[in-house]
Amino acid sequence: TTTITWASATTTAITANQTIASFSVTGITGVEFLVKGVDATGSKYSVATVHAVTDGTSVDYSTFGGVTLGAYTGSLAVNIVGGQIRLQVTPASSNSTVWTTQYRLI
């Protein structure tokens, strides 16, 4: 059985690799993220899916199914630092943007 977990972060600057979600890599080999970005000030909205695979030390990921309304909201990335897998975003604007993710660990 796979549990679905939620996480959220708000960005207010165009700063690279801001963390949306972070969790221990222990016992994890795959993750599926569904990510939503809402920049209501700029009337920009997005949703994308990110799949990641890890051996506990390295991680590779693919972003697909991305859809935007209004304009581009930002780019997503996944990395491992200090035994933690992190879903990160580099926002496209300094407007307050709410990033929400629903994810499953496999």
Side-chain angles (χ1 to χ4, degrees), residues 3-92:
T3 302
I4 296 175
T5 306
W6 294 82
S8 179
T10 301
T11 58
T12 57
I14 304 173
T15 304
N17 302 321
Q18 298 182 55
T19 300
I20 301 171
S22 179
F23 46 87
S24 174
V25 71
T26 303
I28 304 302
T29 54
V31 185
E32 178 183 55
F33 297 97
L34 178 60
V35 186
K36 175 179 74 171
V38 177
D39 171 356
T41 302
S43 297
K44 296 184 266 184
Y45 307 88
S46 67
V47 66
T49 300
V50 180
H51 284 174
V53 64
T54 180
D55 60 5
T57 304
S58 300
V59 66
D60 197 8
Y61 68 94
S62 178
T63 303
F64 60 96
V67 179
T68 61
L69 180 62
Y72 177 70
T73 54
S75 61
L76 301 166
V78 179
N79 64 24
I80 295 177
V81 174
Q84 297 284 305
I85 294 179
R86 302 185 306 180
L87 171 66
Q88 298 185 316
V89 63
T90 300

